[in-house]
């Protein structure tokens, strides 16, 4: 039995109320399967607070970047600021 299958089997047998902490522990023990487990195992959504903007956001796979989460509104603000000015886009 490979480590991924064993980890899934273990998570099925552990209490579902502790799935987040169990998934975290298994991911630290076997970092090579952490990404596959995070995609395969359903865990409850969490709310985080952006300290600078003071807004809450959901931590989910959509805004997950490795081990951290990015605040989508902040990312869109950065993209808007990095676009070239209209004068530069029409320069010949």
């Amino acid at each position: 039995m490979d480590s991924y299958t064993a980890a899934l089997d273990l998570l099925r047998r552990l209490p579902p109320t502790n799935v987040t902490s169990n998934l975290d522990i298994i991911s630290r023990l076997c970092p090579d399967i952490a990404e596959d487990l995070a995609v395969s195992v359903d865990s409850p959504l969490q709310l985080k607070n952006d300290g600078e903007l003071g807004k809450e956001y959901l931590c989910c796979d959509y805004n997950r970047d490795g081990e951290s989460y990015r605040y989508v509104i902040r990312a869109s603000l950065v993209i808007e600021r990095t676009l070239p000015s209209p004068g530069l886009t029409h320069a010949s």
Side-chain angles (χ1 to χ4, degrees):
M1 182 181 293
D2 65 331
S3 58
Y4 175 73
T5 306
L8 286 177
D9 189 42
L10 180 62
L11 285 168
R12 276 188 215 103
R13 296 170 192 277
L14 292 171
T17 55
N18 301 334
V19 68
T20 304
S21 61
N22 292 335
L23 185 60
D24 184 49
I25 292 167
I26 293 172
S27 295
R28 280 189 266 143
L29 289 172
C30 302
D32 55 317
I33 62 169
E35 186 70 27
D36 293 331
L37 283 176
V39 173
S40 301
V41 177
D42 291 330
S43 57
L45 294 175
Q46 298 175 347
L47 280 177
K48 296 258 180 155
N49 192 354
D50 182 340
E52 291 181 26
L53 297 177
K55 295 190 176 206
E56 290 184 333
Y57 62 97
L58 284 176
C59 296
C60 61
D61 285 339
Y62 174 74
N63 61 357
R64 187 168 177 260
D65 185 20
E67 296 297 317
S68 61
Y69 296 91
R70 58 186 174 86
Y71 182 41
V72 179
I73 301 298
R74 180 179 297 275
S76 66
L77 292 174
V78 171
I79 291 170
E80 288 175 10
R81 291 181 190 152
T82 58
L83 292 177
S85 66
L88 288 176
T89 57
H90 297 296
S92 46

